[in-house]
Amino acid sequence: MEEQLQGLKTEALEKIASAANVKELNDVRVAYLGKKGPITDLLKGMGKLPAEERPKMGALVNVVREDVTASLEERMVILEEAAINEKLQSETIDITLPGRPVKTGNPHPLTRVVEEIEDLFISMGYEIAEGPEVEKDYYNFEALNLPKGHPARDMQDSFYITEDILLRTHTSPVQARTMEAKGGEPIKIICPGKVYRRDNDDATHSHQFTQIEGLVIGEDIRMSDLKGTLSVFAKKMFGEDREIRLRPSFFPFTEPSVEMDISCFKCGGTGCNVCKKTGWIEILGAGMVHPNVLEMAGYDSKRLTGFAFGMGPERIAMLKYGVEDIRHFYTNDVRFLSQFQRTEV
Amino acid sequence: MLVSLKWLKDYVNLQELPAQELAEKITRSGIEVDAVIDRSFGMTNVVVGYVEACEKHPEADKLSICQVNVGEETTQIICGAPNIAAGQKVIVARPGAKLPGGIKIKKAKLRGQESNGMICSLQELGIEGKLVPKAYAEGIYVLPEEAEIGTDVVTNFDLDDTVLELGLTPNRADAMSMLGVAYEVGAILDEEVLLPEITYSEAAEKADSLLTVRVDDPEVNPLYVAKVVRNIKVQESPMWLQQRLMAAGVRPHNNVVDVTNYILMEYGQPLHAFDYDLLGTGNITVRHAKEGEKITTLDDAERTLSAHNLVITNGEKPVALAGVMGGANSEVSGSTTTVVIESAYFDSGSIRQTSKDHGLRSDASSRYEKGVDPNRVIPAAERAAALLAELADGEVLAGSVVFDALDRAEKVVSVSPDFINQRLGMKIRFEDMLDILNRLKFKTEAANGQLVISVPTRRQDIQIEEDVVEEIARLYGYDEIPATLPEMETKPGGLTPYQEKRRVVRSLLEGAGLLQATTYSLTSEKSAQQFALTETETTKLLMPMSEERSTLRQSLLPHLLESVSYNTARRSDSVALYETGSVFLKTEDELLNEEEHLAIAMTGLWLDNSWQGERKEADFFVLKGIVESLSEKLGVELAFERGQMDGLHPGRTAFIMNDGKRIGILGQLHPTEQKVRDLKTTIVMELNLAELLHKNSEPLVYTPVPRYPSISRDIALVLSKIVEAGTVVNVIRNAGGKLLKDVRVFDLYEGDKMEAGKKSVAFSLTYFDPEKTLTDEEVTAVHEKVLRALMEVGAELRS
Ligand SMILES: [Zn+2]
């Protein structure tokens, strides 16, 4: 019987070693250790043994059983790992295939420029003011020191709807309206919006375009405050090492009036095609609010002074992004629009 | 304004500054120099030649063979100009010469004949055709007899000159004259200004013995000066005068017209010359035109006048449109012997109106419109008399015939140095201010710490203290202004709730995959009302530039769809655009109701993950999903009702409702509309964004996370195809009561396994009680109630 037992063990161990996979190994387990297996049979047959041999044989059977079980388990670990490895192997994917696209849109480049300017000035304590695009002649011109027949009205040929109503030619009427509404109180606003002028659409002209203007009114507001404010703006929009210069100009609603150039961000001032070899790029118009404009809106121009500035987001976007034709902003070619996705921060 | 530097040097020392440097100084101190033009264009080897002989080319009708004395030699040159003739002094480009436009002259053979150079027209010297005197416009230019053979044309005829092109702002009318520019440059360079010397001898006879002047309305014509010059010889002006006019952009005509134009450029004072004999009456009356009165102006146009047009008459009929253009009936011609020179001051508004009425702008009207210097009217007339005496051998009659009611006093502006420094944020010294004012030739007195300034009448733009601030600042230099920031009460800046929510909407839409578009507000009358949410009349421009841009839009969609078509025509098949912007609706009020709208248009694939087999066409429900997420984001309830609109698919259109009010439209384009626009399936949406953004948002308060589980039950129903899921959901909701937390459609089947006219819709119902765990019995009780309600409305359970 002992021999029989050893024979069984050897046989079982061989089968365990040769089991190729988990299933075969489980079959071996059932075959040798199962309720109907030979080892169980041996145990059942112990009753026929003399009583004094029973404990020895019992112990022997248990040893064999433990050895077989241990071997089985050891083999099981190996086979399971192999099985997992095989599964993993079969599950390998081509990681160079494209990911599932996440659909993303983005703002129009003009919105991008306008919001960047808005946010900069908001951080300096400005509010955003808006107003109608169809305006009264009074707010568009008269309240801005441009009475009927003023020669400067030629500078901005307008679309009239009636004799007194027109499409605003600049966002300045928002300033006039805000001043009137604030009733003599200090003001710090930015006014973005669409404006309209009688121009034939071509690469550099558009009958509809956008403007963004700023207005500050308070006690003792000086021209140096304008210069400082514009300098902060230029550095933020066009780079820390930008310098600005002011040149005298004329706008009916400011006195003195200036134009602001920034040192060319492409060549740094040595001259290139962006700055037309001058080293400077014209960015905006500005000035100290004309006393007539203040008085007309009910401000005491002896006590309160202010500055205003205005610029064209189209021009800024064209400069910043190198866009060569203003019409791109209004044709909405997705191959153009979708380029303004990436952050520049 | 074109400024010849050679000419400018007559009045002010330019300190031998290079033109570019001078231009930079002028630009930095106030008048932008748009261009610096070298009139010589680098020309070399161009000399005066004398045509000794000229005969027809034997083999070419239009060519002449000329023997030309060019000083060093007499040489043969072939010339194609029709006006070439022996005995002329001409401009010769010698072999090796460089002409404007990079042209190089070489010896050549023309039809077998040698040609050693070229006889030039003025155009070939770089002068614009419209400035070349008419007599030479179609051929070569003929030099005066005095021109010295063999001498250099560039230096002899003032082509070695630089012209500055000034971009003048409307306030600087003073710089529309050489003298005005001289004062500006004098101030910049700290130089004196030398005025033209006026000397001539007068005849014994007095001007007023031949002429009378009457002015009816001194308000619009406060000063009228007439001088009479007789025995004049009308002829070509000398070269120097012609060259100066051409440099200034004026075409030379004859010495009389040229003198008036020269003085216009020099003084900025428009002059007009009448042929005295053609005037006929010896009387000049300045009056308002009679309604319907006619005049033919020098440009040969007959103009019908109205009462606010001012005319110069001979006492009977108009002979000139005052300040704008002369009349053909009194024009100076070759046979004129006596001229009347008019120098006048007209009200700028009146001239502006007349010029606008007749669409007629002249060098004269553009100066009158902006206001001329009242103190130059008389000197300009005197200067004209002197030049006519000199250049036309004229005999100037004694004195002038004058109507004078013009106030020529200088405006006095007082300003304190503190005021100037305070406005600028600077500390400019008093002496420096005085120095600048002296350089400007503003007579200034210092009294009680104030600067009391008498502003010369040429500078009509200086009216108030702030104007003086600008003069000081621009000449002191804007670079000297420090950079500071406003010192005022600091308040937090920011967006209004409306503006902030608009940004929320934008970022939601962009996050959902839409590109922001911007289109034009002006459209054609035909498309202005298409897709409009509110029916109102159209708003048209008084004077549109084209029918395409004649009317204000009432919906964003027509232009947005144009953008979609633009893209699909360029093979971008999948397009999803949104726009926010105003539509313009007529109201009782003077101004329009500008409603901010949001529009979306999409076509093609919404999702394209083709290698994984995921492709989703843009359809009604894709866009509806976006609108629903918008409603959730803003916390505004939106409902959808079946609707109809022209241009949209009748079975695939919904009105977007809020609080029972129709605020938008969502639908698929009608196939016909798609065809017209050359589009495939396209889904559109437009809603009144302002209405949404103006709603106040509820404060956000947290709802406790459920402590008890919820239980879900599914129902599959067979419904008639015409029954809408939304109706069923309402039935379920009503029956489910407060324990029913959610109902969701999770399946729709309309395939051929269904009986005709039927569909199967499956709903998932979620039951929940925040207070306790629901028992099966409790759920079943409610669920049974729901099922009964469904049966009552005719739904059947799908087996
Ligand atoms: Zn550059």
Side-chain angles (χ1 to χ4, degrees):
Chain A
M1 191 166 175
E2 199 180 324
E3 254 171 53
Q4 209 183 339
L5 197 60
Q6 287 305 336
L8 263 176
K9 178 182 168 184
T10 314
E11 199 185 304
L13 291 182
E14 270 168 19
K15 289 223 166 129
I16 286 167
S18 65
N21 54 42
V22 174
K23 186 180 174 296
E24 277 181 36
L25 191 62
N26 276 330
D27 290 348
V28 174
R29 184 200 303 273
V30 173
Y32 289 89
L33 300 175
K35 280 182 185 151
K36 287 175 183 163
I39 293 177
T40 314
D41 285 350
L42 274 179
L43 281 173
K44 281 180 189 159
M46 286 245 292
K48 293 170 191 159
L49 284 180
E52 66 274 12
E53 280 184 38
R54 280 184 206 160
K56 191 182 156 225
M57 269 313 286
L60 202 63
V61 170
N62 272 333
V63 169
V64 169
R65 194 185 163 107
E66 272 163 28
D67 285 354
V68 171
T69 305
S71 169
L72 241 162
E73 266 159 23
E74 199 182 319
R75 182 68 183 153
M76 186 59 89
V77 168
I78 292 164
L79 287 178
E80 269 176 357
E81 202 178 293
I84 287 172
N85 284 341
E86 199 182 326
K87 184 163 190 281
L88 291 178
Q89 180 68 41
S90 72
E91 282 174 2
T92 300
I93 55 170
D94 177 356
I95 53 87
T96 64
L97 283 167
R100 186 178 187 278
V102 174
K103 205 167 168 65
T104 50
N106 55 260
H108 191 277
L110 294 176
T111 305
R112 192 176 159 127
V113 167
V114 167
E115 285 193 357
E116 192 176 344
I117 297 170
E118 283 179 356
D119 290 345
L120 163 64
F121 283 100
I122 286 172
S123 76
M124 296 201 284
Y126 289 65
E127 287 172 347
I128 310 297
E130 294 170 285
E133 291 168 36
V134 174
E135 223 355 319
K136 293 184 180 172
D137 186 276
Y138 175 79
Y139 289 111
N140 195 73
F141 289 127
E142 279 177 59
L144 298 164
N145 201 28
L146 274 153
K148 286 212 162 76
H150 191 288
R153 281 193 180 202
D154 281 354
M155 288 163 83
Q156 21 186 269
D157 238 350
S158 340
F159 289 118
Y160 276 90
I161 290 168
T162 68
E163 203 145 292
D164 268 317
I165 305 290
L166 74 162
L167 302 192
R168 66 179 178 195
T169 57
H170 45 195
T171 49
S172 315
V174 182
Q175 300 188 6
R177 283 174 176 275
T178 307
M179 286 161 73
E180 199 180 79
K182 288 263 182 174
E185 289 299 304
I187 293 180
K188 245 177 139 176
I189 53 166
I190 291 292
C191 320
K194 292 178 184 140
V195 300
Y196 306 84
R197 290 186 197 173
R198 296 183 71 85
D199 262 325
N200 284 308
D201 296 340
D202 61 24
T204 52
H205 297 86
S206 182
H207 75 277
Q208 173 182 326
F209 57 103
T210 52
Q211 260 197 350
I212 187 159
E213 296 191 322
L215 171 72
V216 172
I217 296 176
E219 274 178 47
D220 283 346
I221 297 294
R222 305 153 295 181
M223 190 120 177
S224 57
D225 299 330
L226 171 64
K227 195 173 178 183
T229 303
L230 294 181
S231 178
V232 170
F233 160 76
K235 287 175 193 297
K236 180 83 186 6
M237 280 303 279
F238 298 100
E240 263 318 300
D241 41 5
R242 288 287 68 71
E243 282 173 41
I244 67 161
R245 72 172 193 189
L246 303 181
R247 276 182 297 110
S249 188
F250 169 76
F251 306 106
F253 25 89
T254 49
E255 186 69 36
S257 302
V258 291
E259 258 162 305
M260 181 191 83
D261 300 335
I262 60 167
S263 55
C264 179
F265 48 79
K266 190 169 175 205
C267 65
T270 52
C272 69
N273 59 335
V274 170
C275 58
K276 297 193 187 91
K277 310 254 182 290
T278 64
W280 295 94
I281 300 173
E282 188 180 318
I283 293 291
L284 57 75
M288 302 302 291
V289 181
H290 197 288
N292 290 358
V293 173
L294 288 166
E295 296 288 340
M296 240 185 297
Y299 280 73
D300 175 1
S301 70
K302 291 278 166 277
R303 198 174 67 79
L304 292 168
T305 52
F307 65 72
F309 56 87
M311 66 197 107
E314 277 88 347
R315 177 169 169 74
I316 291 178
M318 287 169 94
L319 286 168
K320 253 180 103 107
Y321 308 127
V323 177
E324 77 298 345
D325 191 324
I326 197 170
R327 287 168 294 197
H328 281 311
F329 296 116
Y330 296 94
T331 40
N332 302 305
D333 191 318
V334 295
R335 295 166 300 180
F336 173 77
L337 293 179
S338 58
Q339 291 183 42
F340 300 93
Q341 176 98 246
R342 178 171 73 81
T343 176
E344 267 193 303
V345 180
Chain B
M1 176 79 189
L2 297 169
V3 178
S4 147
L5 293 185
K6 274 199 135 175
W7 186 355
L8 188 63
K9 275 184 212 161
D10 280 6
Y11 319 111
V12 64
N13 179 359
L14 300 181
Q15 303 175 348
E16 309 297 324
L17 283 176
Q20 283 292 352
E21 208 175 301
L22 179 64
E24 175 70 11
K25 277 181 190 284
I26 294 173
T27 295
R28 293 304 310 278
S29 28
I31 294 173
E32 195 163 352
V33 178
D34 288 337
V36 178
I37 304 152
D38 174 8
R39 284 199 85 213
S40 81
F41 296 102
M43 254 184 290
T44 56
N45 254 324
V46 183
V47 299
V48 177
Y50 177 69
V51 184
E52 291 179 341
C54 176
E55 55 192 42
K56 282 269 167 264
H57 191 296
E59 283 165 54
D61 270 1
K62 291 185 175 158
L63 298 182
S64 306
I65 303 170
C66 308
Q67 304 307 321
V68 185
N69 178 354
V70 291
E72 296 169 340
E73 56 173 340
T74 295
T75 186
Q76 175 168 303
I77 300 176
I78 311 297
C79 179
N83 62 335
I84 183 81
Q88 288 172 336
K89 293 267 177 78
V90 293
I91 301 165
V92 178
R94 303 272 285 140
K98 274 197 269 173
L99 295 182
I103 296 162
K104 282 184 190 148
I105 302 300
K106 285 182 218 143
K107 289 191 180 184
K109 271 197 174 171
L110 285 167
R111 298 273 177 109
Q113 294 289 332
E114 204 172 278
S115 182
N116 301 317
M118 179 166 89
I119 302 176
C120 301
S121 67
L122 287 182
Q123 287 91 329
E124 280 152 346
L125 301 193
I127 292 169
E128 268 186 277
K130 64 175 188 190
L131 300 180
V132 174
K134 275 194 183 133
Y136 308 116
E138 305 297 331
I140 54 151
Y141 185 71
V142 181
L143 296 167
E145 274 171 37
E146 326 71 91
E148 217 173 299
I149 296 167
T151 54
D152 182 37
V153 165
V154 171
T155 49
N156 271 328
F157 299 105
D158 292 335
L159 290 170
D160 54 340
D161 189 8
T162 304
V163 170
L164 304 185
E165 186 181 346
L166 305 184
L168 293 178
T169 50
N171 60 323
R172 292 304 302 270
D174 64 295
M176 292 177 87
S177 66
M178 294 301 290
L179 281 174
V181 174
Y183 276 108
E184 176 73 8
V185 171
I188 295 166
L189 302 181
D190 194 8
E191 292 283 354
E192 288 308 312
V193 173
L194 204 68
L195 294 176
E197 235 175 82
I198 301 168
T199 49
Y200 60 90
S201 49
E202 287 184 334
E205 198 170 345
K206 288 176 124 189
D208 58 13
S209 64
L210 264 72
L211 189 72
T212 62
V213 166
R214 201 185 99 193
V215 171
D216 282 359
D217 186 352
E219 285 286 311
V220 290
N221 180 20
L223 177 58
Y224 194 99
V225 181
K227 295 205 73 86
V228 181
V229 186
R230 67 181 173 196
N231 296 330
I232 56 157
K233 256 188 258 156
V234 178
Q235 58 193 19
E236 255 180 49
S237 298
M239 275 303 287
W240 68 265
L241 180 50
Q242 292 193 38
Q243 283 297 352
R244 282 189 173 186
L245 288 178
M246 288 189 279
V250 178
R251 179 182 226 165
H253 290 276
N254 57 49
N255 51 0
V256 175
V257 174
D258 290 354
V259 162
T260 60
N261 282 331
Y262 183 75
I263 292 164
L264 170 85
M265 289 298 159
E266 187 176 45
Y267 283 79
Q269 170 62 43
L271 299 180
H272 185 64
F274 296 99
D275 183 319
Y276 176 83
D277 296 314
L278 291 179
L279 270 182
T281 60
N283 299 316
I284 281 180
T285 302
V286 186
R287 61 162 167 84
H288 290 279
K290 292 169 193 148
E291 205 64 50
E293 201 169 12
K294 288 190 166 64
I295 182 173
T296 301
T297 41
L298 286 174
D299 55 358
D300 286 331
E302 192 189 59
R303 298 172 190 279
T304 306
L305 307 173
S306 47
H308 58 260
N309 298 146
L310 196 67
V311 287
I312 316 295
T313 70
N314 64 355
E316 294 153 14
K317 56 182 197 299
V319 292
L321 198 50
V324 180
M325 196 175 269
N329 55 8
S330 53
E331 184 179 3
V332 171
S333 67
S335 54
T336 302
T337 56
T338 305
V339 293
V340 174
I341 299 292
E342 163 202 290
S343 183
Y345 187 97
F346 298 114
D347 171 66
S348 57
S350 159
I351 301 299
R352 186 186 160 79
Q353 188 59 50
T354 298
S355 159
K356 209 173 150 193
D357 285 354
H358 298 282
L360 183 57
R361 298 200 77 195
S362 59
D363 283 331
S365 72
S366 64
R367 282 170 177 78
Y368 276 127
E369 273 179 22
K370 296 188 169 84
V372 298
D373 180 353
N375 278 309
R376 280 193 199 153
V377 180
I378 293 170
E382 296 299 332
R383 172 81 165 145
L387 280 177
L388 284 178
E390 183 189 331
L391 304 176
D393 297 334
E395 190 189 354
V396 182
L397 297 197
S400 309
V401 191
V402 178
F403 172 86
D404 187 357
L406 179 61
D407 175 12
R408 294 196 274 283
E410 293 186 331
K411 170 135 190 131
V412 176
V413 179
S414 292
V415 55
S416 80
D418 284 350
F419 179 88
I420 293 171
N421 278 327
Q422 196 278 324
R423 279 300 148 91
L424 295 173
M426 294 177 83
K427 294 190 178 75
I428 303 176
R429 294 181 316 157
F430 185 71
E431 307 85 270
D432 292 336
M433 293 185 188
L434 267 182
D435 174 55
I436 288 168
L437 294 166
N438 285 333
R439 275 154 56 191
L440 285 163
K441 318 289 181 289
F442 289 5
K443 271 172 270 153
T444 308
E445 284 170 35
N448 307 325
Q450 293 274 110
L451 292 160
V452 182
I453 303 158
S454 301
V455 183
T457 47
R458 64 189 149 82
R459 291 297 306 274
Q460 310 247 341
D461 58 318
I462 309 295
Q463 296 283 336
I464 56 174
E465 292 160 289
E466 282 79 1
D467 296 326
V468 177
V469 172
E470 178 167 66
E471 292 302 298
I472 301 282
R474 72 184 181 92
L475 288 166
Y476 193 80
Y478 281 132
D479 288 347
E480 307 303 318
I481 299 181
T484 58
L485 286 174
E487 290 158 15
M488 53 199 291
E489 195 192 334
T490 322
K491 282 191 204 156
L495 298 169
T496 62
Y498 184 99
Q499 293 162 343
E500 214 164 310
K501 279 192 271 188
R502 178 165 51 202
R503 287 200 185 184
V504 166
V505 169
R506 282 212 281 255
S507 77
L508 179 127
L509 298 174
E510 284 151 20
L514 298 161
L515 285 170
Q516 189 190 20
T518 305
T519 63
Y520 295 133
S521 304
L522 287 171
T523 186
S524 64
E525 186 170 27
K526 190 166 66 86
S527 66
Q529 290 168 304
Q530 204 190 3
F531 303 114
L533 294 174
T534 326
E535 266 182 48
T536 55
E537 274 174 67
T538 53
T539 308
K540 293 203 73 176
L541 299 180
L542 282 181
M543 288 192 298
M545 295 178 74
S546 67
E547 163 53 26
E548 282 289 272
R549 308 266 173 262
S550 63
T551 312
L552 281 163
R553 64 177 173 190
Q554 297 182 16
S555 160
L556 307 182
L557 281 174
H559 276 163
L560 199 59
L561 284 169
E562 260 177 44
S563 293
V564 174
S565 301
Y566 178 94
N567 279 293
T568 54
R570 281 157 187 78
R571 319 209 54 158
S572 298
D573 298 328
S574 299
V575 183
L577 299 174
Y578 85 93
E579 179 175 13
T580 59
S582 289
V583 301
F584 302 84
L585 308 171
K586 223 172 217 168
T587 60
E588 297 293 298
D589 201 34
E590 230 188 329
L591 287 178
L592 303 181
N593 173 21
E594 290 180 33
E595 243 173 44
E596 185 166 14
H597 278 201
L598 162 66
I600 299 176
M602 52 172 67
T603 189
L605 287 176
W606 174 250
L607 178 69
D608 182 10
N609 183 23
S610 23
W611 75 266
Q612 287 190 303
E614 249 185 319
R615 284 160 73 87
K616 174 80 191 136
E617 293 267 346
D619 66 13
F620 182 92
F621 298 103
V622 167
L623 190 41
K624 186 177 178 188
I626 293 174
V627 178
E628 284 168 337
S629 66
L630 196 66
S631 131
E632 244 166 76
K633 191 79 176 182
L634 293 173
V636 177
E637 266 193 50
L638 296 180
F640 298 84
E641 269 180 17
R642 183 167 291 285
Q644 301 273 327
M645 181 181 267
D646 280 351
L648 296 183
H649 190 306
R652 298 185 173 185
T653 298
F655 292 130
I656 303 171
M657 313 291 295
N658 170 257
D659 276 350
K661 198 172 149 193
R662 192 182 293 174
I663 64 157
I665 187 94
L666 164 65
Q668 182 175 324
L669 279 195
H670 195 285
T672 317
E673 186 69 27
Q674 276 171 194
K675 202 170 165 204
V676 169
R677 295 180 176 274
D678 205 8
L679 286 169
K680 300 208 173 108
T681 303
T682 303
I683 320 297
V684 298
M685 190 283 291
E686 175 154 342
L687 57 75
N688 181 342
L689 184 64
E691 181 88 23
L692 288 191
L693 301 188
H694 276 308
K695 301 231 179 265
N696 292 327
S697 302
E698 296 289 325
L700 200 153
V701 180
Y702 140 97
T703 314
V705 177
R707 292 167 61 195
Y708 306 101
S710 57
I711 292 175
S712 62
R713 297 274 169 97
D714 295 346
I715 306 175
L717 296 173
V718 175
L719 298 167
S720 162
K721 268 195 175 171
I722 55 164
V723 175
E724 294 181 343
T727 316
V728 180
V729 167
N730 284 340
V731 171
I732 296 174
R733 275 193 197 287
N734 286 338
K738 66 179 197 332
L739 289 186
L740 179 66
K741 193 182 145 208
D742 196 18
V743 191
R744 227 169 254 282
V745 175
F746 75 91
D747 190 42
L748 169 70
Y749 181 73
E750 296 177 299
D752 44 15
K753 283 182 193 150
M754 297 302 298
E755 197 185 320
K758 301 272 185 183
K759 63 182 172 185
S760 157
V761 188
F763 302 85
S764 173
L765 287 67
T766 307
Y767 295 100
F768 171 70
D769 187 337
E771 306 294 326
K772 61 181 199 301
T773 303
L774 283 174
T775 64
D776 224 31
E777 292 71 38
E778 285 167 319
V779 171
T780 304
V782 189
H783 196 63
E784 293 287 325
K785 202 178 144 203
V786 169
L787 291 176
R788 275 197 305 278
L790 287 169
M791 298 310 114
E792 274 166 35
V793 296
E796 51 182 293
L797 282 175
R798 195 181 181 194
S799 47

